[in-house]
Each structure stands twice: as C-alpha cells, then as structure tokens.
Amino acid sequence: MALLAPIASAAELVGSTVPPYPAGLISKYGSCVALSLGVKRECDYAVGILERPDGKPVVLVGERLVKRDDQRKAIWIITDTLPYPTLPEGYLLAIANCRIDGKADRTIIAAVRNEDAEWLGTVLWARRFDLSKEKFMEQSTAGVQCQNEAAGL
C-alpha cells in the first residue's frame, strides 16, 4: 500500500482503534486533554499528531481511551481528525497548553506565533476538541493564549 493511501482522507481514520497505526503513520506526540473531567479521567481523551516516518506531521487526531493493554499501554479509538495545518514561518502548533481569557483549557489547539514571551497571544487559528461531541470544533481566537514551553530557556 502506498505511503499516503491510509490517509487519502483523514476522515477514514475515524473509528480506527490504535495502536497499531495505519501503514506509513507514526504517533510521535499526544497529550491528555480531559482534565476538566477530573484528575482520574484526564486521559480519557487525547489529541495527538500522526506523522510520516520522515517526521512530517500529517494529521491531528482526537482519541478516546478504550482500555489499557497488559503492559498498561493505552488503546484508543480515533473519534475525529484534522489535516495537520500548514504553518507560516515563525508559527507553531500548541496542544493542551492554552488558555482563554486567562482560564486554562487543555482542549484548545492553536497555531501561534513563536515569540520571546511566556504566553503566546498572536493566534492564527484555534480549534477545540469538544469532549461531549468527541470532535474538533472551530474556536474563536479572541482571548486565546498558549504557553511558550521554551520561555526562559
């Protein structure tokens, strides 16, 4: 199967139980986003990035925890996808480290300009992983800021 065949449409991943991931895709990053459900349930949902073996990010996935295997590794069902955005130079994708109007919201994913500041507030676009719908939803950029994890380094 060709490298891009499994992701001809990112929507085709919805309903897949992972791992294993489709041929040609690797999960390199993910973050639990359900802290609003309580500490014991904070990893009931996650947002992750699937990329090609060459390191090029391809798709964002929203996932719901199904179970843990015998080694306590998470098994997920993909509930929604977004093609990985093409970001202008100087922008990065912030996942699970944003806030709105000063209130932390781990469900926010935002394209933000990388600046020398603790909080990045120049937001190109934002999405929210809606836990009740298990879908990515559009999010106004007004009031969104994301923590610069490299600030002060």
Side-chain angles (χ1 to χ4, degrees):
M1 188 172 263
L3 180 64
L4 293 180
I7 53 163
S9 166
E12 292 175 18
L13 295 170
V14 174
S16 300
T17 300
V18 293
Y21 292 89
L25 293 178
I26 300 167
S27 175
K28 285 290 194 165
Y29 177 84
S31 185
C32 297
V33 297
L35 186 59
S36 64
L37 300 177
V39 174
K40 290 184 178 184
R41 296 190 59 203
E42 72 179 308
C43 284
D44 281 8
Y45 292 91
V47 170
I49 300 171
L50 301 184
E51 57 185 49
R52 298 187 320 208
D54 66 4
K56 180 173 176 31
V58 178
V59 64
L60 294 167
V61 293
E63 304 168 311
R64 177 177 19 93
L65 183 67
V66 175
K67 65 179 180 177
R68 295 199 176 266
D69 67 14
D70 295 339
Q71 288 82 38
R72 302 278 307 139
K73 291 184 181 176
I75 306 295
W76 306 93
I77 187 164
I78 296 175
T79 63
D80 201 13
T81 61
L82 280 176
Y84 192 89
T86 301
L87 300 173
E89 187 173 332
Y91 280 76
L92 56 88
L93 195 64
I95 297 175
N97 65 353
C98 298
R99 63 187 185 184
I100 295 181
D101 297 327
K103 183 179 179 201
D105 188 333
R106 294 182 59 118
T107 67
I108 300 283
I109 299 99
V112 293
R113 187 169 63 208
N114 193 6
E115 302 170 321
D116 186 21
E118 181 180 0
W119 289 96
L120 305 173
T122 304
V123 182
L124 185 64
W125 67 258
R127 302 291 183 273
R128 170 190 308 278
F129 186 72
D130 185 306
L131 302 177
S132 65
K133 295 178 181 174
E134 299 183 341
K135 301 252 180 240
F136 291 106
M137 308 298 285
E138 289 202 29
Q139 170 65 47
S140 168
T141 60
V144 172
Q145 295 179 305
C146 301
Q147 190 169 25
N148 182 352
E149 295 175 334
L153 297 181

